[in-house]
């Protein structure tokens, strides 16, 4: 089993920044890729960014490219998402997830999920 715990969400004004964290524990050998997804009310869960845990290759959705940065601290088993220039449309519950597969934008490729952290961007 893998346990994922997100933190760092909150309320921020448009143009502001937040940094999300996700601490992973458990069967770390299954963690080839880690990703961030988000889900707004009434919408499907959508891909935000992913990173390969060993090599650090990064992948972003077009909607967040150049504004968000995904990173990881291997020693702390922690995944981060630095979010800058936030927009009201970034409002959602943000989830981290882990996969034993190559990076993918499909939620179905991920095996374990955190409980989510709410990000609200006011206009």
């Amino acid at each position: 089993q893998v346990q994922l715990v997100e933190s760092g969400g909150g309320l921020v004004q448009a143009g502001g920044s937040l940094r999300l964290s996700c601490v992973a524990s458990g069967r770390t050998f299954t963690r080839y890729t880690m990703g961030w997804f988000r889900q707004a009310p009434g919408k499907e869960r959508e891909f935000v960014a992913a990173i390969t845990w060993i090599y650090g290759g990064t992948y972003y959705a077009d909607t967040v490219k150049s504004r968000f940065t995904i990173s990881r601290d291997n020693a702390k088993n922690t995944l981060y998402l630095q979010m800058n220039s936030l927009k009201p449309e970034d409002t959602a519950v943000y989830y981290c997830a882990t996969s034993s597969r190559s990076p993918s934008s499909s939620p179905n490729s991920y095996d374990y999920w955190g409980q989510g952290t709410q990000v609200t961007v006011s206009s």
Side-chain angles (χ1 to χ4, degrees), residues 42-96:
K43 295 188 177 182
E44 293 186 351
R45 191 166 296 189
E46 67 171 353
F47 172 75
V48 174
I51 188 168
T52 56
W53 193 255
I54 295 176
Y55 302 108
T58 58
Y59 308 83
Y60 295 94
D62 289 341
T63 52
V64 305
K65 201 173 293 184
S66 79
R67 298 189 298 123
F68 291 9
T69 302
I70 189 171
S71 63
R72 87 278 191 236
D73 185 327
N74 297 51
K76 295 182 179 179
N77 284 325
T78 302
L79 177 73
Y80 301 101
L81 184 68
Q82 177 66 44
M83 305 185 294
N84 299 328
S85 301
L86 283 161
K87 305 175 181 180
E89 51 264 43
D90 294 318
T91 295
V93 177
Y94 283 70
Y95 299 89
C96 70

Side-chain angles (χ1 to χ4, degrees), residues 1-5 22-28 31 34 77:
Q1 285 283 17
V2 174
Q3 292 78 42
L4 303 171
V5 180
C22 173
V23 179
S25 60
R27 299 175 60 187
T28 58
R31 187 177 66 225
M34 290 196 73
N77 284 325

